[in-house]
Amino acid sequence: MKLAVLGTGSRGNAVALTAGDTTLLIDAGFGRAALRARAERVGVDVDQLTAVLVTHEHTDHASGAVAITSEVGCPLYATAGTLRALASSLDGTDARTFEPDGTAIGRIHVHAARTRHDAAEPVAVRLTDAGSGFRLGIAYDLGSATPRLLRLLTGVHCLMLEANHDEGMLRSGPYPASVRQRIAGTRGHLSNWQAARTAADLCHDELETVVLMHISQRCNRPEIAREAVGAALQARGYRGQLFVAEQDTALRVPVRTRQLALELFE
């Protein structure tokens, strides 16, 4: 299995997961040419995509989704609400919704749970490789960590979790008050403190890797996010690895669980 973070932040998000002959792109928040260039750098063959999953319609997650699915000829999966929000651009796209009890896409089984964010019908996802049993959770653009979200992500081996902003930096940052209120609100983004608490709540013996996502370039710094979440995980006895994914730098991290190995390629 291979997992590649093509980029994460306010200017674009995309994650590629390959298991056997199944390759999924989770979000496509870059233009088609940029997606191809980023994918090529991490060894992902875009032309072999099995499907694209879009967590919500905001441009930093969906701007390249229709173009790349149309070019490759693969389906686009999202919630019904997200597809309605994207409807004006979906002409000719093989658009599909998630099944309530999970959606099988090749070797990967996808479960989704609604999140709190100011989008039409945003979701977090849990991706399970039927071959190895590996479970990956991806949760960003979260206003708060709801009980439904925690249930979805319980038991994952690798957790990709938003740590968007430092609360002090947000308060003193360059954004107008209305934007600061949106970011810090219950339909905005998780702070480092909220991410730390959520990661601690999801800590268990088989959690081997935590990757912090969607770091604000104006109201956060990677080392601050790492320190906050790392302290909370350490207090829970976490013995795995903690990494911070960034907007323009691909991430390479060896991840091991008791039964499988996962690689994130740079």
Side-chain angles (χ1 to χ4, degrees), residues 51 88 125 138 144 209 220 227 229 248:
S88 62
V125 293
I138 301 177
S144 61
T209 304
N220 207 357
E227 181 179 358
V229 177
D248 298 315

Side-chain angles (χ1 to χ4, degrees), residues 96-110:
R96 308 178 186 182
T97 57
F98 298 116
E99 297 297 327
D101 59 347
T103 300
I105 305 175
R107 266 180 51 163
I108 298 173
H109 204 73
V110 181

Side-chain angles (χ1 to χ4, degrees), residues 58-265:
H58 289 169
T59 56
D60 59 325
H61 294 262
S63 61
V66 172
I68 204 68
T69 55
S70 297
E71 185 174 88
V72 173
C74 68
L76 185 156
Y77 285 86
T79 63
T82 295
L83 292 180
R84 285 193 295 270
L86 294 171
S88 62
S89 64
L90 289 178
D91 187 33
T93 302
D94 181 3
R96 308 178 186 182
T97 57
F98 298 116
E99 297 297 327
D101 59 347
T103 300
I105 305 175
R107 266 180 51 163
I108 298 173
H109 204 73
V110 181
H111 285 87
R114 178 75 181 266
T115 63
R116 288 180 178 168
H117 189 56
D118 55 0
E121 194 179 6
V123 292
V125 293
R126 184 182 73 234
L127 310 174
T128 303
D129 175 16
S132 67
F134 169 79
R135 295 183 296 275
L136 166 67
I138 301 177
Y140 43 27
D141 286 50
L142 308 172
S144 61
T146 64
R148 178 183 298 178
L149 176 77
L150 295 176
R151 286 195 297 271
L152 176 78
L153 300 177
T154 295
V156 297
H157 298 102
C158 178
L159 174 64
M160 291 184 158
L161 179 67
E162 172 177 63
N164 176 256
H165 60 277
D166 172 79
E167 293 178 350
M169 291 181 68
L170 178 64
R171 284 193 298 270
S172 61
Y175 295 121
S178 60
V179 175
R180 295 198 301 270
Q181 290 169 2
R182 172 194 172 262
I183 292 171
T186 58
R187 301 187 69 207
H189 294 273
L190 289 190
S191 69
N192 293 337
W193 177 82
Q194 290 171 308
R197 186 173 62 179
T198 302
D201 287 343
L202 292 168
C203 188
H204 64 101
D205 289 345
E206 293 186 359
L207 178 63
E208 293 291 334
T209 304
V210 175
V211 183
L212 302 182
M213 305 283 283
H214 218 300
I215 304 292
S216 171
Q217 292 182 300
R218 292 186 174 187
C219 298
N220 207 357
R221 292 201 300 271
E223 62 271 20
I224 296 176
R226 184 195 300 270
E227 181 179 358
V229 177
L233 286 170
Q234 186 176 25
R236 289 296 304 271
Y238 179 64
R239 300 173 65 94
Q241 300 180 93
L242 174 64
F243 302 96
V244 181
E246 299 186 50
Q247 183 71 87
D248 298 315
T249 305
L251 185 67
R252 182 171 184 166
V253 182
V255 181
R256 289 184 173 82
T257 69
R258 294 187 177 104
Q259 296 180 337
L260 51 91
L262 170 69
E263 294 178 337
L264 277 75
F265 289 97

